[in-house]
């Protein structure tokens, strides 16, 4: 990406289509640029001057270099203008004009043209269909929104321009300030990944926030965000629009792992904080901007009323914090300082008649305890307590100890000024104690995200050619493959039980004779992928019953679907399900994030139990381990009720090998190993089902 400094920090801004015509967008932008510290150059063939700025009649006539061009002319002219800007060497362009990708196929073609021009001239192009950009350090407001943001450390990107105008307006009342704001528009060129990169190296950006409806290239975003979040927190609000990547899915993984789960997993893997709603977005942003991260998990609560203290304690129980247990000397000092009836244990209750002095002393003592790494101060209004003084005391003590603090000084009108005082010191105040805990919890999540060591996925010794060969052969019949393609798992080192596909009862008997013990027999047909649903799986067949079972399986298949293509019957060694647990390991492709791995409790009840977890592939060893620990049935795998724990190392390796397989073969669109039987002796893939796109082979 070329240098994008001019986008938010330009000296000279050209407005292509800048005008003074009442009610036009071109005028709104010119008016918003009134306060800009640099030079504004309107480009308009019909005007010599626009709102006091001398105009030029065309882009070609621009004399001095332009750092940023804002384009507001109709779509067709906008394309020409952008090309001319490119030819003039202007690299930062914001296309406000609508009527592109969002406006049918004609618009989409126009948008492609715009991207091509941007490519050719290596332009940083924002939009089209953008509200514009804002940057407070230079008083730059190159948007057509109604208000100017106040300065601050938040840099904000939004896929909705309307949301920006609403947020900026509201934030002024809340005292929330911004550094840069960008309306991403249709993201023809620059997208969310580019902006997190731009802001990573911007010293004025303390926190990156985003409202996104989709992520263009999920994998690129994950890789990019991982490095950015180490320095600058990223918070995204999830929007409802992602849920339906609703392609008809034939695999379990396809039905279970919807786009919404891909988005959640992807953002987690990216180390991004997800906000559930707009309130959380700004709660998290403010606390991350204003407070340090805790260097431990212990939290203390100091209050003057029991009720709110209990509410806070309940909320803490659901958070990642633990109620800190105070050191002896803390308890002694509190005992000496607080009156009879006060609670010296956490949550500390200074009781209802506490004045400012007592409250302050208690906070000081508690914050000095090294078991306290975060604190909450709660207060209800009483006559002897002055909120403003309390706010100043809390701020001073927070700065003294550098412990993250959030407050719930509760009340109405009387809280306005004290809340402002606290905010100036970066301390958020809430009416609801639970909301304060939730915000403090975000600090912890962020801290944990920055501590993750990302490893590169391991390489394994695999037989790629073999997989290619099996897939090519199998897809000649059908794009949906069943157990006839199990060999691809073998080729990638995922163990499968001894199996063979036969096409006569005689051969079946002969194969069964070579397998120790009873066998499992399964119908093999690309048209019957849910075999047990039609009685197409027979477990525990003795050698003497093999011929009859063979005939029976064929009859069932033909009854179910007379024209089904039958490839034969698979004979398989029995896998011990007394010591083994049926799990599912699968993959489906998300349009934004690519291959999404699913792991969970398997067998025939997988969709009913829905105990699964997902990650974007490729996954590392650490991520595979986390996935195993995440499912509700994890204790079952780890030796609940006196059972031996399963071979987790083998399971982790199988997960990584599958991750490699689906990364190596984009042609595999969906894949289920169900069951993958996991036991103390290792793992075995017993059944497989996949969908392949032969064009990608
Ligand atoms: P499908 O999922 O198409 O119905 P599977 O091959 O998964 O067919 O078989 C269904 C169930 O039969 C499995 O979930 C498992 O409980 C049992 N089963 C299948 N193969 C074996 C085997 N080799 N050993 C033990 N049980 C098996
Ligand atoms: Mg199965």
């Amino acid at each position: 990406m070329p240098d994008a400094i001019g986008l938010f920090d330009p000296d000279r801004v050209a407005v292509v289509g800048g005008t003074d015509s009442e009610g036009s967008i071109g005028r709104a932008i010119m008016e918003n640029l009134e306060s800009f510290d640099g030079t504004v150059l309107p480009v308009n063939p019909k005007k010599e001057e626009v709102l006091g700025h001398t105009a030029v009649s065309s882009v070609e006539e621009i004399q001095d270099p332009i750092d940023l061009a804002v384009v507001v002319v109709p779509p067709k002219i906008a394309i020409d203008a952008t090309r001319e800007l490119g030819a003039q060497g202007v690299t930062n362009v914001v296309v406000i004009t609508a009527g592109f990708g969002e406006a049918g196929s004609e618009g989409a073609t126009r948008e492609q043209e715009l991207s091509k021009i941007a490519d050719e001239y290596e332009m940083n192009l924002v939009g089209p269909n953008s509200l514009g950009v804002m940057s407070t350090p230079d008083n730059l407001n190159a948007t057509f929104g109604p208000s100017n943001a106040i300065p601050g450390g938040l840099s904000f990107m939004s896929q909705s321009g309307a949301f920006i105008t609403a947020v900026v307006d509201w934030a002024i009342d809340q005292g929330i300030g911004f550094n840069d704001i960008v309306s991403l528009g249709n993201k023809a060129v620059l997208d969310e990944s580019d902006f997190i990169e731009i802001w990573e190296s911007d010293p004025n950006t303390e926190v990156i926030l985003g409202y996104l409806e989709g992520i263009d290239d999920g994998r690129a975003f994950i890789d990019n965000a991982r490095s950015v979040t180490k320095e600058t927190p990223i918070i995204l609000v999830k929007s409802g629009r992602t849920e339906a990547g609703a392609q008809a899915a034939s695999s379990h993984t396809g039905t279970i792992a919807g786009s919404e789960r891909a988005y959640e997993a992807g953002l987690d893997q990216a180390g991004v904080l997800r906000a559930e709603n707009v309130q959380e977005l700004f709660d998290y942003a403010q606390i991350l901007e204003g407070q340090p991260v805790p260097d431990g998990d212990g939290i203390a609560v100091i209050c003057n009323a029991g009720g709110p203290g209990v509410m806070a304690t309940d909320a803490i129980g659901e958070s990642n914090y633990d109620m800190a247990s105070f050191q002896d000397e803390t308890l002694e000092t509190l005992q000496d300082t607080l009156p009879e009836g006060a609670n010296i244990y956490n949550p500390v209750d200074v009781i209802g008649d506490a004045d400012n002095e007592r409250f302050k002393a208690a906070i000081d003592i508690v914050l000095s305890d090294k078991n306290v790494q975060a604190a909450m101060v709660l207060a209800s209004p009483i006559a002897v307590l002055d909120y403003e003084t309390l706010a100043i005391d809390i701020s001073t003590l927070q700065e003294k100890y550098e412990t993250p603090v959030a407050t719930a000084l509760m009340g109405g009108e009387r809280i306005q000024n004290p809340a402002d005082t606290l905010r100036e010191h970066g301390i958020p105040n809430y009416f609801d104690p639970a909301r304060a805990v939730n915000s403090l919890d975000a600090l912890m999540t962020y801290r944990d995200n920055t501590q993750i060591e990302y490893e590169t996925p391991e390489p394994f010794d695999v037989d790629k050619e073999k997989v290619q060969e099996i897939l090519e052969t199998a897809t000649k019949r059908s794009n949906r493959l069943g157990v006839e393609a199990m060999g691809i798992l073998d080729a990638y080192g995922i163990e499968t039980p001894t199996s063979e596909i036969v096409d006569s009862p005689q051969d079946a008997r002969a194969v069964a004779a070579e397998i120790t013990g009873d066998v499992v027999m399964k119908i093999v047909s690309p048209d019957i992928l849910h075999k047990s649903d039609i009685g197409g799986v027979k477990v525990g067949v003795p050698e003497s019953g093999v011929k009859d079972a063979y005939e029976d399986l064929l009859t069932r298949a033909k009854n179910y679907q007379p024209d089904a293509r039958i490839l034969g019957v698979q004979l398989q060694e029995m896998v011990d399900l007394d010591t083994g647990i049926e799990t599912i390991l699968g993959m489906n492709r998300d349009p934004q994030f690519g291959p999404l791995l699913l792991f969970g409790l398997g067998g025939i009840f997988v969709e009913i139990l829905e105990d699964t977890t997902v990650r974007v592939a490729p996954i590392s060893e650490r991520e595979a381990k986390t996935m195993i620990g995440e499912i509700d049935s994890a204790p079952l795998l780890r030796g609940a009720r006196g059972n031996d724990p399963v071979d987790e190392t083998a399971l982790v390796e199988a997960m990584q090998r599958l991750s490699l397989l689906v990364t190596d073969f984009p042609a595999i669109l969906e894949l289920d190993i169900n069951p993958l039987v996991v036991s103390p002796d290792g793992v075995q893939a017993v059944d497989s089902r996949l969908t392949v796109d032969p064009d990608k082979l």
Side-chain angles (χ1 to χ4, degrees), residues 252 483 486 497-499 518-523 528-540 570-577 582-583 602-605 672-677 684-689:
H252 290 298
V483 289
M486 275 182 87
T498 308
S499 333
D518 294 348
V519 293
V520 179
M521 295 174 70
K522 305 177 187 181
I523 194 79
I528 305 171
L529 293 173
H530 295 268
K531 300 176 288 298
S532 22
D533 286 359
I534 66 140
V537 177
K538 287 181 183 287
V539 181
Q570 184 192 46
L571 278 97
Q572 197 173 58
E573 179 190 3
M574 286 281 287
V575 170
D576 183 2
L577 289 180
E582 295 192 49
T583 65
I604 50 176
F605 299 121
D672 268 355
I673 304 174
N674 183 28
L676 175 77
V677 178
Q684 287 202 298
V686 165
D687 181 26
S688 72
R689 163 157 54 234

Side-chain angles (χ1 to χ4, degrees), residues 150-163:
I150 54 175
L154 312 183
S155 285
F156 176 43
M157 57 182 162
S158 170
Q159 220 169 317
S160 155
F163 185 53

